[in-house]
């Protein structure tokens, strides 16, 4: 069995330092780079791409709402046209830095509130798909299980990669419970066993104690939690014990 592990990175900006980027590079196979709207800035974007090349990691765009103060986790009233243009603008900026290092954009994963709203709303989901089509319709697009984005994307021939979370709670649909500050966790082995079960059995216990089904192709670990590197280490140990290979090759090969 194979699984991709992804992490949101490049979310520092100006004088503010966020995340454990270089440490997390040791454990993941794919990163999603902030593009300056919810976090990140040109200096940080370039540094993050440079590190990704050093560690031989695939780089995707992580576009969000223009909301530095709310870290892109506040829902905004935006038209479908605005969402499409936000994604084109941010992905284009990241592509310029990737080009400077002879690298290519590997995927798109919207951030925060934009991500969640596109999972729930057909019009916004279509706006995301329209943007990806203009960039490159063959680009893999990360999406939650049973979401509008996944449904419409598959119907229209996009490469959808089903994402689950190591450090967020899931609901009965396979989506996640969105919080402004994330989820605290203390039992790292329990979290790691939960990830293994999602991969091997396609099952997870929801935030309200129900057992639900989902598909896991990529697992997200948020790098801004202080214990993120230790969680990543625990997950890798459990995956290796179960003979599960950590790689993004199977995602790239779908295209």
């Amino acid at each position: 069995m194979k699984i991709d592990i992804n992490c949101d990175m490049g979310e520092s900006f100006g004088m503010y330092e966020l995340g454990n980027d270089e440490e997390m590079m040791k454990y993941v196979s794919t990163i999603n780079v902030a593009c300056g709207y919810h976090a990140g800035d040109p200096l940080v974007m370039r540094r993050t791409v440079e590190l990704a090349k050093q560690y031989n990691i695939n780089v995707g765009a992580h576009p969000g709402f223009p909301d530095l103060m709310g870290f892109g986790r506040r829902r905004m009233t935006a038209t479908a046209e605005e969402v499409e243009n936000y994604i084109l603008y941010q992905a284009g900026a990241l592509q310029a830095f990737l080009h400077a290092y002879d690298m290519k954009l590997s995927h798109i994963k919207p951030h925060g509130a934009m991500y969640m709203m596109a999972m729930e709303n057909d019009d916004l989901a279509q706006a995301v798909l329209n943007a990806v089509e203009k960039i490159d319709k063959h680009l893999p697009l990360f999406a939650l299980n049973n979401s509008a984005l996944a449904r419409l994307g598959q119907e229209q021939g996009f490469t959808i990669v089903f994402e689950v979370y190591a450090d967020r709670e899931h609901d009965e649909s396979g989506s996640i419970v969105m919080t402004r500050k994330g989820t605290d966790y203390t039992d790292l082995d329990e979290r790691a066993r939960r990830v293994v079960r999602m991969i091997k059995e396609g099952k997870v216990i929801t935030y309200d104690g129900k057992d639900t089904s989902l598909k896991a192709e990529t697992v997200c670990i948020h790098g801004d939690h202080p214990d993120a590197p230790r969680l990543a280490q625990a997950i890798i140990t459990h995956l290796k014990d179960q003979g599960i290979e950590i790689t993004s090759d199977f995602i790239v090969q779908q295209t």
Side-chain angles (χ1 to χ4, degrees):
M1 300 187 73
K2 297 181 178 181
I3 191 69
D4 175 55
I5 298 181
N6 78 79
C7 185
D8 304 338
M9 292 193 185
E11 293 182 321
S12 299
F13 58 94
M15 64 182 292
Y16 300 99
E17 294 188 12
L18 302 171
N20 302 280
D21 286 10
E22 187 163 9
E23 181 65 20
M24 289 298 292
M25 294 266 188
K26 301 172 184 177
Y27 309 116
V28 303
S29 45
T30 295
I31 63 171
N32 322 298
V33 178
C35 304
Y37 265 24
H38 78 275
D41 64 28
L43 182 65
V44 171
M45 289 171 71
R46 180 167 188 166
R47 186 185 306 132
T48 307
V49 168
E50 188 173 25
L51 281 171
K53 187 175 181 68
Q54 177 183 330
Y55 284 91
N56 193 29
I57 295 172
N58 283 326
V59 176
H62 199 34
F65 283 133
D67 180 27
L68 281 175
M69 186 175 290
F71 198 65
R73 290 180 177 159
R74 299 185 293 187
R75 290 177 178 251
M76 298 182 68
T77 301
T79 66
E81 182 182 20
E82 287 173 325
V83 168
E84 180 180 336
N85 288 328
Y86 291 160
I87 294 171
L88 287 171
Y89 182 88
Q90 293 173 79
L94 180 60
Q95 283 181 306
F97 286 111
L98 288 167
H99 180 74
Y101 288 88
D102 195 28
M103 299 172 70
K104 291 185 177 180
L105 188 67
S106 67
H107 67 281
I108 300 286
K109 175 188 169 181
H111 166 81
M114 179 188 286
Y115 190 54
M116 297 305 297
M117 291 170 71
M119 300 303 145
E120 302 160 3
N121 182 288
D122 281 18
D123 289 340
L124 293 185
Q126 190 62 56
V128 174
L129 295 172
N130 291 345
V132 173
E133 184 168 30
K134 288 178 174 63
I135 298 165
D136 179 356
K137 186 171 181 176
H138 298 294
L139 273 179
L141 179 62
F142 288 11
L144 296 173
N145 282 261
N146 299 306
S147 63
L149 188 59
R151 172 174 50 80
L152 291 174
Q154 288 185 314
E155 288 174 358
Q156 297 172 36
F158 288 82
T159 301
I160 299 298
V161 179
F162 287 95
E163 183 178 43
V164 298
Y165 283 71
D167 52 12
R168 293 287 189 275
E169 297 304 320
H170 288 264
D171 64 22
E172 198 169 357
S173 73
S175 184
I176 58 169
V177 179
M178 181 71 174
T179 67
R180 287 285 299 279
K181 294 184 178 180
T183 302
D184 286 330
Y185 46 86
T186 54
D187 189 338
L188 302 181
D189 283 323
E190 185 278 329
R191 285 275 157 179
R193 287 191 294 269
R194 182 171 169 269
V195 168
V196 169
R197 185 168 184 251
M198 286 192 283
I199 298 166
K200 293 191 71 174
E201 301 179 28
K203 296 279 189 179
V204 69
I205 300 296
T206 65
Y207 75 97
D208 54 356
K210 298 175 183 176
D211 206 24
T212 196
S213 298
L214 42 62
K215 184 176 182 179
E217 293 181 312
T218 184
V219 177
C220 179
I221 305 172
H222 287 92
D224 56 355
H225 193 288
D227 277 337
R230 291 178 58 234
L231 175 60
Q233 291 170 16
I235 289 171
I236 288 171
T237 297
H238 281 261
L239 292 178
K240 287 182 176 179
D241 287 345
Q242 295 294 319
I244 301 171
E245 181 184 357
I246 300 165
T247 178
S248 59
D249 290 348
F250 70 100
I251 292 175
V252 175
Q253 288 167 4
Q254 290 185 60
T255 63

